[in-house]
Amino acid sequence: MQSLSNRAKKLEKKPMNLSERMYLPAIFQGLSITMRHFFKKKATIKYPEETRPMSAVWRGLHVLKRDEKGRERCTACGLCAVACPAEAITMVAGERKRGEENLYREEKYAVSYEINMLRCIFCGLCEEACPKAAIFLQNDKLAPARYERDEFIYGKDRLVEPMPIELTSSAAAR
Amino acid sequence: MELSLLLIKALIILAVFGVTLLIATYSTYAERKVAAFIQDRVGPNRAGPFGLAQPLADAVKLFFKEEFVPANANKFLFIAGPSLAMLTACMSSAVIPFGGTLIIGGEAIHLQAIEVNIGILYVFGIVALGVYGIMIGGWASNNKFSLLGAIRAASQNISYELAMGMSIIALLLVTGTLSMRDIAAQQGEELFGISGMNWNIFYQPLGFLIFIVCAFAETNRVPFDLPECETELIGGYHTEYSSMGMGLYLFAEYVNIFVASAVMSTLYFGGYNFPFMDQLGLPHNVVTILGTVVLFGKIFFFIFFFMWVRWTLPRFRYDQLMNLGWKILIPLSIANVILTGGAILLKQEFFQ
């Protein structure tokens, strides 16, 4: 049959010569290849002891930041919830009362702030939408696997950054 | 006198049995490690340091699983199959000389469980019996795939035993004895002024090649593991087995590998002899112990070789297997017998 492009390579099936029919050279070649792999450096990362280094721009678990005096920055404006394409964020806003000035920076604050980690796609749009620099996606923490679905709804108890130590000690001194 | 002799023999038998089982246990670990290393992985490393407790964990797991017998299986034969496979595998290491003689209190103790003057024939007989374990287990499962695996095992063993026997006949022409102890001792003589180097591999390279190929087939190892060919037969003869029945089959395979390695080292690679063994001027007992260590080194190398080949070569097709056995290995081994006989005749006629 005429080939259309004339580029088809004509392959001829030759009968095997003696060394090929003995198979032994081929077997030794194969053995030497596997032996080379035997001494190769292994690609495995032994997970719980070693972890793969994370990228600097990795978007992991969210955190709600505090300002330099330890007050929550979030003002419950809802821009993050609007920006969220997966609708993972819900919040309830509340008014700051007298005497709570050292807890919340603005007059309005988030009474509850929940992120459903099963819905979240870790796109980072909440971080971009936030006008108060309150929410960030950390590059060193993951939302780990859990047994129950409701454990994936992260409230303020797990999202707000813990109070820095020097501020807690100075507050205790006062 | 008689009692102490019996006690020593019992001790040696116990030691050989224990060592056989220990090596077979750790062969499972070594197999997984070798497989992993060849495939650029690290292998089991969780149980104990470097995963050394892995065989124990596997054994505990197998013991605690349910021993399941299929509804229409022949219950007695179903249990007899793996038991027979294990029994025959453990029996054959009895005649292998694991060392020379230890002289304790003026008495020479041979480091060999049983000396029979037909040692090779004994090993052959027991290895041939081994296929009954697979046959019975495969037949009793009442499963088409198991039966096919068992039939394959039987026909493969019969085909390759012929070539193996022929390669051994050529070896026996050289050694002139069937006793494993004598064959091992003969290889301790001098060759070109080096003592302990008179190994049969130098006289029978072709015979050794045939023997090792047949040993792979007899132990049902890759590239001849058609009885348990997963792609065609699910699991082959042990498809229906679970728990310790399965464990015994797998374990028997490793015991067989150990025995095949020991037989190859003893018949072709000088057994417990090592180069310059009589020229070092060491005391007799030290040489014997060193010899035992060397023999185990050779055995470990062959066990490693079995695994190395397993992770290198693909499986034969069934017709290729039969072609290799009947059309290549048997004519080759017969030619080897004739050549060896001719060479011995020539030597007797002209060089003595």
Side-chain angles (χ1 to χ4, degrees), chain B residues 51-86:
Chain B
L52 277 170
Q54 190 67 43
L56 285 176
D58 289 343
V60 168
K61 180 205 129 187
L62 282 174
F63 266 117
F64 282 99
K65 285 190 117 175
E66 186 191 353
E67 180 77 63
F68 184 78
V69 183
N72 288 323
N74 185 328
K75 200 171 177 206
F76 174 71
L77 289 181
F78 191 79
I79 291 169
S83 320
L84 197 61
M86 193 65 204

Side-chain angles (χ1 to χ4, degrees), chain B residues 26 33 35 51 90 114 147 152 169 193-194 196 206 229 235 250 263 270 326 339:
Chain B
Y26 272 89
K33 272 286 185 196
C90 288
I114 304 158
L147 185 61
R152 280 183 174 194
I169 285 174
I194 304 170
L206 183 62
C229 173
L250 298 185
V263 169
W326 289 96
L339 278 178

Side-chain angles (χ1 to χ4, degrees), chain B residues 158-171:
Chain B
I158 289 166
S159 313
Y160 280 77
E161 239 156 50
L162 289 174
M164 198 183 212
M166 285 291 182
S167 70
I168 286 290
I169 285 174
L171 180 78

